[in-house]
C-alpha cells in the first residue's frame, strides 16, 4: 500500500494521533493507499503554520509579478507531473484516465496560468465624489483562507482554488474529501518545486465530520470555499457564524436538459448523453439529470438515447478505451442502487439500464469488487417523485415529457436547485426567451457541460450562495474590498 502524509508548514507529517484511513480503489473495491486520519489539533497546526508563513514571507505584499511567476512555475510543474498525478486521481476516485490525464490536468495548468495573469491585472478604482475628496477602492488579501473539496473532481478544484487564493495574496488550509485525498497530498510536492514559501499551502487529510468541521468553525480562518453537497453547505454556514466567515458555496444540482421538437436531434442525443452518462458515471454537480423532452419527439428521442447509451463501455477507468468508469465510493454506490430501487417503487418506468456490477462484470474479474452502474433512464410524467427532485449523483436520469415553452420552463425551474440547465432548439428567439426564464447559474444552448476558466461559474437557489468561481473576477472571491476617502481640500 502507498502512504501519503499531511502537508503542514512545508513538512510532510502523519496525523498527531497517528491514526490512518484506507483509500479504496473503486474500480476493484480494494484499499490501495493509506492517508492520515487527522483531527482538530492538526487543523490548529495548519492554521498556525499558514499565519506564520504570511508573516515571515510577506506574501500579501510581494509584487504581483512575483506571485504570478510562482504560479506559472506551478503550472509548469503540473505539466511535468501530469502522468503520475492523473494515475493517482484515477486510482482514488475512478474517474477514467482519459479524462484525468488528457483533459483535467492540462486544463488545470492552463487555468493556473490564467490566474497568474489575473494577479498581474488586479486593480481598484477611483471614485469622483467632490473636489476636496480623493476616493478610491483597493482589493486586499483576506489572510488565512480554507478550501473544502468533494471527491468527484479533487485535483481541478484544488489547483484552481488554491492558485486563486495564492494569487490574491493569501495562505490556505485545504481539507480534501477522505474518499479522494491521495492525489492532493501528492500534488503538494509541486508547491515545493515551484518555490512557494513553506506554509502558504497546507493540506490536512481526514473525515468531514472531524477535520471539515474544525475548519468550518475555526476562528483563525477568514474565508472558506466549499464545494460539495447542499446539506454539508448548510452545516458549514452554521459553523461559519463563529467569526462571520466569508463563504463561497458551490453545491448540488438536479439540472434540466430540455429538448425541443425543433432541435437537431443527433446533436441533442449526444449532448444529453454527455451531460449525464459522463466518463465519471454521472458524478458531476452539473449533471443533466432531468431530461425534458417535447412530446412530439419523445418516443423517438428516448429510443435514440437508449441506443447511444448502450454504445458506452462501462469498465476499468485505467483503460483508455473505457467510456464510463465506476462510482467513486461504496457508500455512493449504495446510494445510487437505492435510487434504482426507489424509482421502481415510485412507479416510474425503467426505459433502459438499471444493471450494476453483479450483472455487468464477469465472475473472477478483478473488477467484480468495483462499483459499476450502467447508463440508466427512468420515464415518468411526475416531477414530484423523489427521483425527479433529489440529486442521485450517478448515471441515472429521469425523462419527462412537456408541451411548449411555458411547461418546459415550469418543469425546469421546479426543484430547489439552480445550478445548470441546457436547451436544444434551432430557433434562436426561443433560445433567448427560454434562457432568460431559467433559474440556473449556468445555461447551455445546443451544448452541455461546457466550462472555461474565463467564464464565471456559480449556482442559484440552493445550488450556491451567489458567489462565482472562475472568470475575470475570480480573485475578488478571495479578497476584501477597501474604500478610502482622503480629504485633500
Ligand atoms: P459532501 O458534502 O459529502 O463532502 C464535501 C466535502 O465536505 C468533503 O471534503 C467532506 O469531507 C466535507 N464534509 C463532510 N461533512 C462535513 C462537515 N460536517 N463539516 C465540514 N466539512 C464536511 O459532498 P461529496 O459527496 O464529497 O460531493 C458530492 C456533492 O458535491 C454533490 O452534491 C455535488 O453536486 C457537489 N458538487 C458541487 C460542485 C459545484 O461546483 N457546484 C462541484 C462538484 C461537486
Amino acid at each position: 500500500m502507498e502512504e501519503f502524509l499531511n502537508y503542514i508548514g512545508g513538512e510532510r507529517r502523519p496525523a498527531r494521533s497517528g491514526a490512518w484511513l484506507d483509500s479504496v480503489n473503486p474500480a476493484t473495491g480494494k484499499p490501495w493507499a493509506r492517508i492520515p486520519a487527522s483531527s482538530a489539533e492538526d487543523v490548529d497546526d495548519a492554521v498556525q503554520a499558514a499565519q506564520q508563513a504570511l508573516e515571515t514571507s510577506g506574501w500579501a505584499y510581494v509584487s504581483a509579478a512575483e506571485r504570478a511567476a510562482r504560479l506559472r512555475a506551478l503550472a509548469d510543474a503540473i505539466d511535468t507531473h501530469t502522468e503520475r498525478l492523473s494515475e493517482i486521481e484515477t486510482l482514488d476516485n475512478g474517474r477514467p484516465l482519459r479524462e484525468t490525464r488528457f483533459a483535467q490536468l492540462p486544463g488545470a495548468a492552463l487555468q493556473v496560468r490564467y490566474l497568474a495573469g489575473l494577479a498581474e491585472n488586479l486593480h481598484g478604482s477611483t471614485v469622483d465624489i467632490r473636489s476636496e475628496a480623493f476616493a478610491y477602492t483597493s482589493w486586499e488579501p483576506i489572510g488565512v483562507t480554507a478550501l473544502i473539496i468533494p471527491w468527484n473532481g479533487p485535483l481541478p478544484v484544488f489547483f484552481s482554488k488554491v492558485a486563486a487564493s495564492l494569487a490574491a495574496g493569501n495562505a490556505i488550509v485545504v481539507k480534501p474529501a477522505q474518499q479522494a485525498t491521495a492525489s492532493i497530498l501528492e500534488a503538494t510536492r509541486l508547491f515545493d518545486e515551484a518555490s512557494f514559501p513553506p506554509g502558504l499551502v497546507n493540506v490536512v487529510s481526514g473525515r468531514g465530520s472531524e477535520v471539515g468541521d474544525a475548519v468550518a468553525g475555526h476562528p483563525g480562518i477568514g474565508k472558506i470555499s466549499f464545494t460539495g453537497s447542499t446539506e454539508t453547505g448548510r452545516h458549514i454556514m452554521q459553523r461559519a457564524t463563529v467569526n462571520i466567515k466569508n463563504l463561497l458555496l458551490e453545491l448540488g444540482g438536479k439540472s434540466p436538459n430540455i429538448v425541443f421538437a425543433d432541435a437537431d436531434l443527433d446533436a441533442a442525443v449526444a449532448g444529453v448523453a454527455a451531460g449525464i452518462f459522463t466518463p465519471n458515471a454521472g458524478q458531476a454537480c452539473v449533471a443533466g439529470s432531468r431530461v425534458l423532452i417535447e412530446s412530439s419527439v419523445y418516443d423517438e428521442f428516448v429510443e435514440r438515447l437508449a441506443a447511444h447509451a448502450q454504445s458506452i463501455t462501462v469498465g476499468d477507468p485505467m483503460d483508455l478505451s473505457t467510456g464510463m468508469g465506476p462510482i467513486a465510493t461504496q457508500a455512493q454506490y449504495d446510494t445510487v442502487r437505492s435510487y434504482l430501487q426507489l424509482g421502481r417503487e415510485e412507479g416510474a418506468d425503467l426505459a433502459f439500464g438499471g444493471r450494476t456490477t453483479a450483472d455487468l462484470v464477469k465472475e473472477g474479474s478483478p473488477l467484480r469488487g468495483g462499483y459499476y452502474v450502467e447508463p440508466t433512464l427512468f420515464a415518468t410524467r411526475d416531477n414530484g417523485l423523489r427521483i425527479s427532485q433529489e440529486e442521485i449523483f450517478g448515471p441515472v436520469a429521469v425523462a419527462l415529457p412537456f408541451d411548449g415553452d411555458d411547461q418546459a420552463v415550469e418543469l425546469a425551474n421546479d426543484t430547489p436547485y439552480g445550478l445548470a440547465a441546457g436547451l436544444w432548439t434551432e430557433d434562436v428567439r426561443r433560445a433567448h426567451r427560454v434562457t432568460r426564464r431559467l433559474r440556473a447559474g449556468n445555461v447551455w444552448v445546443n451544448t452541455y457541460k461546457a466550462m472555461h476558466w474565463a467564464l464565471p461559474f456559480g449556482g442559484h437557489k440552493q445550488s450556491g450562495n451567489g458567489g462565482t468561481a472562475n472568470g475575470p473576477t475570480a480573485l475578488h472571491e478571495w479578497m476584501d474590498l477597501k474604500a478610502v476617502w482622503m480629504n485633500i481640500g
Side-chain angles (χ1 to χ4, degrees):
M1 289 238 280
E2 288 203 44
E3 193 172 277
F4 296 86
L5 295 170
N6 283 339
Y7 182 61
I8 297 176
E11 288 172 9
R12 268 157 249 291
R13 315 181 189 165
R16 268 185 185 264
S17 67
W20 297 90
L21 289 167
D22 278 347
S23 202
V24 173
N25 176 357
T28 60
K30 298 222 161 35
W32 74 280
R34 61 179 198 159
I35 55 172
S38 312
S39 53
E41 52 185 358
D42 300 289
V43 175
D44 284 340
D45 288 348
V47 174
Q48 211 173 16
Q51 261 154 358
Q52 219 162 45
L54 283 175
E55 281 159 29
T56 53
S57 69
W59 183 248
Y61 306 104
V62 304
S63 69
E66 169 62 13
R67 272 180 275 139
R70 297 277 67 75
L71 289 168
R72 292 195 177 100
L74 173 66
D76 291 345
I78 296 173
D79 284 338
T80 306
H81 298 286
T82 284
E83 203 165 315
R84 167 136 175 92
L85 289 176
S86 56
E87 275 175 19
I88 296 177
E89 183 98 320
T90 295
L91 275 173
D92 226 17
N93 80 349
R95 185 183 282 268
L97 197 58
R98 72 189 175 104
E99 264 204 315
T100 52
R101 185 186 292 173
F102 299 106
Q104 292 205 314
L105 280 152
L110 291 171
Q111 183 160 12
V112 170
R113 291 190 181 98
Y114 173 78
L115 291 164
L118 290 188
E120 290 172 320
N121 283 285
L122 199 59
H123 45 78
S125 57
T126 56
V127 185
D128 206 356
I129 293 175
R130 55 185 192 222
S131 57
E132 68 274 21
F134 176 61
Y136 65 93
T137 61
S138 70
W139 288 100
E140 309 204 338
I142 292 171
V144 178
T145 62
L147 171 64
I148 302 180
I149 306 184
W151 40 256
N152 64 327
L155 284 176
V157 176
F158 173 71
F159 282 124
S160 62
K161 297 292 176 68
V162 168
S165 181
L166 293 173
N170 299 308
I172 190 158
V173 174
V174 181
K175 167 16 198 144
Q178 68 266 28
Q179 303 87 347
T181 292
S183 58
I184 289 174
L185 292 174
E186 180 69 14
T188 59
R189 298 185 185 283
L190 277 50
F191 293 88
D192 299 340
E193 199 170 313
S195 303
F196 278 90
L200 275 193
V201 177
N202 305 275
V203 181
V204 186
S205 147
R207 293 188 180 83
S209 54
E210 220 169 336
V211 175
D213 189 69
V215 167
H218 204 292
I221 293 172
K223 158 97 196 185
I224 296 184
S225 172
F226 169 75
T227 306
S229 63
T230 298
E231 194 186 333
T232 309
R234 205 171 270 129
H235 174 79
I236 287 174
M237 281 180 105
Q238 282 161 358
R239 294 284 282 135
T241 57
V242 60
N243 59 344
I244 318 293
K245 280 189 178 53
N246 174 335
L247 296 179
L248 171 59
L249 302 177
E250 298 180 298
L251 309 175
K254 188 73 177 177
S255 301
N257 209 344
I258 311 167
V259 181
F260 287 97
D262 69 2
D264 170 344
L265 287 193
D266 289 333
V269 166
V272 166
I276 179 70
F277 307 136
T278 61
N280 74 328
Q283 298 163 101
C285 52
V286 294
S289 51
R290 288 186 305 139
V291 188
L292 313 184
I293 309 163
E294 198 149 29
S295 297
S296 59
V297 292
Y298 183 90
D299 289 339
E300 180 190 351
F301 188 84
V302 170
E303 200 175 303
R304 288 169 70 170
L305 189 61
H308 188 102
Q310 273 145 21
S311 72
I312 297 171
T313 354
V314 179
D316 184 359
M318 283 295 182
D319 182 338
L320 290 179
S321 68
T322 291
M324 186 191 284
I327 299 290
T329 70
Q330 171 82 55
Q332 185 59 22
Y333 181 52
D334 293 345
T335 300
V336 174
R337 286 191 298 179
S338 74
Y339 276 106
L340 294 177
Q341 178 65 23
L342 179 70
R344 294 183 181 101
E345 286 165 15
E346 287 189 308
D349 293 327
L350 185 65
F352 60 79
R355 290 179 304 168
T356 59
T357 303
D359 299 318
L360 294 171
V361 183
K362 287 195 195 89
E363 259 181 83
S365 160
L367 305 184
R368 184 79 176 177
Y371 315 134
Y372 300 93
V373 178
E374 70 181 341
T376 299
L377 185 76
F378 280 110
T380 177
R381 294 186 161 272
D382 189 349
N383 193 45
L385 299 185
R386 281 183 57 200
I387 57 162
S388 307
Q389 289 288 317
E390 296 175 13
E391 186 180 41
I392 297 174
F393 223 55
V396 182
V398 174
L400 294 136
F402 71 87
D403 288 298
D405 294 10
D406 287 347
Q407 198 187 4
V409 169
E410 192 186 317
L411 278 171
N413 288 338
D414 182 18
T415 78
Y417 295 109
L419 188 54
L423 61 116
W424 300 83
T425 178
E426 293 294 282
D427 178 343
V428 71
R429 293 175 194 228
R430 165 183 277 156
H432 280 292
R433 277 195 317 264
V434 172
T435 297
R436 187 178 280 171
R437 295 170 68 191
L438 290 171
R439 294 202 59 203
N442 311 278
V443 176
W444 292 293
V445 179
N446 294 331
T447 184
Y448 198 83
K449 217 169 159 282
M451 296 204 221
H452 194 278
W453 42 90
L455 193 64
F457 179 84
H460 296 180
K461 294 158 74 182
Q462 291 186 29
S463 293
N465 64 343
T468 53
N470 300 347
T473 58
L475 300 199
H476 293 175
E477 280 293 339
W478 297 93
M479 307 192 91
D480 284 327
L481 185 63
K482 180 178 281 176
V484 180
W485 178 316
M486 201 180 289
N487 190 349
I488 56 171

